[in-house]
Amino acid sequence: MFDLHRLRLLRELKHRGTLAAVAAALSYAPSSVSQQLSQLEAEVGVPLLEPVGRRVRLTEQAEILVAHTEAVLERLERAEADIATSLADLTGTLRIASFQTAALALIPVALGLLRERHPHLRVHVTQMEPERSLPALQARDFDLVLAEEYPGNPNPRSAELEQEDLLDDPLRLALPEPADAPDSSGPTAALRSLAHHPWVMEPEGTAARHWAMTLCRNAGFEPDVRFDTTDLLLHLRLVEQGHAAAFLPDLVWSGRPPAVPLRELPRGQRARRVFTVVRRGRSRHPAILACREALRQAVRPGRPAAG
């Protein structure tokens, strides 16, 4: 029988990429991780790692072993869920990662509901963008992730993760004062009217930036992006002060009336998908079920209308 602890270290290496990252995540010394993996190699009887420059990568046999380890861990998570279901009281710690606007608009309400219904459940929330939180979920740093998907930019679908839709969050063109986009000439004309205005967008490499650039290019212009930030509250402030145009989701208002003029976007580009993600085998855990129910109740109608 192979040692499960060492198998988990091999799995961690696959997801985190380096021995140093595995050691940092698990509070081990890198030499200890290396020693444990060497012992696993001796148990298995074949090489599991091969050098690539200053790093190492998993061999074909190691990848096979990790796939079986994933299946074992999924089964253990189901066992944990079954045990938790058998208990009268929901306890332990639930670790959530959420992108900014969902953290602002939905998480506080959901936390209140969870505290009322399950006072002994400890909830830990980290603000993190999906580009980082989804890999961290696979590495077991979190139990549930709130993620987003922009129109025409589907996220990679991992067989190890399970998604559940939460809401469609409308996206709108936010006009800086004194810009005056036409209200009756259609969404594309409104976009084109801001072709020579500064823009604020999320950084290069993010799904939101790719979506926004594509939207502008399809309207016939290359946007003058002068501000890069994942902080959508800063996006809003720059629009309010007349420094930039932006694309803002309705969640940014957290139920408040819009503070800037808004216009609709072209059809097919008017909403992002917001959803929760858990590891396969975890979805039946009572804490996950309770959190997803609280988030659904935190979603309220009455999003601000364009105009």
Side-chain angles (χ1 to χ4, degrees):
M1 295 291 291
F2 302 141
D3 183 271
L4 181 58
H5 171 67
R6 293 170 188 153
L7 290 172
R8 294 189 71 167
L9 289 178
L10 185 65
R11 178 196 176 278
E12 291 287 335
L13 180 59
K14 174 179 173 61
H15 287 290
R16 299 188 189 274
T18 66
L19 293 171
V22 173
L26 302 179
S27 300
Y28 290 163
S31 59
S32 176
V33 175
S34 179
Q35 182 182 28
Q36 291 289 317
L37 292 175
S38 295
Q39 291 177 359
L40 180 60
E41 280 189 329
E43 290 177 358
V44 179
V46 297
L48 299 176
L49 305 176
E50 54 188 11
V52 180
R54 295 184 177 182
R55 304 178 66 174
V56 294
R57 69 182 175 196
L58 275 63
T59 63
E60 179 183 352
Q61 292 72 32
E63 294 283 359
I64 293 171
L65 201 54
V66 167
H68 284 284
T69 301
E70 296 283 8
V72 170
L73 294 177
E74 179 190 341
R75 190 75 183 189
L76 290 174
E77 290 214 270
R78 289 180 178 176
E80 182 183 345
D82 288 344
I83 291 171
T85 301
S86 71
L87 300 175
D89 194 13
L90 190 53
T91 61
T93 299
L94 179 67
R95 301 164 302 166
I96 301 172
S98 174
F99 60 96
Q100 184 192 39
T101 45
L104 287 169
L106 303 177
I107 290 293
V109 177
L111 288 176
L113 293 170
L114 287 171
R115 181 176 57 191
E116 177 183 334
R117 297 166 183 172
H118 308 286
H120 297 110
L121 178 66
R122 184 176 185 269
V123 182
H124 185 274
V125 179
T126 300
Q127 182 183 313
M128 187 179 291
E129 298 304 309
E131 288 84 0
R132 294 176 53 211
S133 62
L134 290 173
L137 176 66
Q138 287 187 271
R140 284 177 161 72
D141 291 340
F142 300 106
D143 302 304
L144 180 143
V145 163
L146 269 162
E148 59 184 348
E149 186 175 270
Y150 281 80
N153 289 271
N155 297 329
R157 298 295 180 94
S158 170
E160 300 168 15
L161 302 178
E162 297 178 349
Q163 300 184 6
E164 182 177 283
D165 286 344
L166 185 59
L167 76 150
D168 288 330
D169 186 23
L171 296 159
R172 308 182 197 272
L173 173 63
L175 306 183
E177 303 288 357
D180 184 22
D183 203 12
S184 59
S185 300
T188 301
L191 268 174
R192 287 175 181 158
S193 72
L194 296 170
H196 302 293
H197 205 284
W199 286 79
V200 56
M201 293 184 181
E202 297 201 35
E204 291 280 0
T206 62
R209 176 62 169 263
H210 181 265
W211 167 80
M213 293 295 290
T214 301
L215 196 56
C216 292
R217 289 166 179 166
N218 287 343
F221 69 95
E222 189 72 14
D224 178 12
V225 183
R226 300 191 193 178
F227 309 97
D228 295 82
T229 175
T230 59
D231 186 347
L232 292 193
L233 295 182
L234 180 53
H235 287 219
L236 174 57
R237 182 58 59 88
L238 290 170
V239 175
E240 287 175 334
Q241 297 296 318
H243 297 301
F247 299 111
L248 293 178
D250 280 7
L251 278 180
V252 79
W253 308 111
S254 297
R256 303 185 309 273
V260 297
L262 302 174
R263 297 290 185 269
E264 282 196 342
L265 297 178
R267 292 187 182 279
Q269 303 292 327
R270 294 179 178 176
R272 62 177 177 174
R273 186 171 72 96
V274 178
F275 53 98
T276 58
V277 193
V278 299
R279 289 184 300 278
R280 193 174 60 189
R282 190 79 173 172
S283 59
R284 295 188 304 167
H285 194 287
I288 297 296
L289 294 173
C291 182
R292 280 178 158 171
E293 176 59 24
L295 286 168
R296 284 192 292 268
Q297 293 190 29
V299 175
R300 291 289 182 264
R303 305 285 179 206

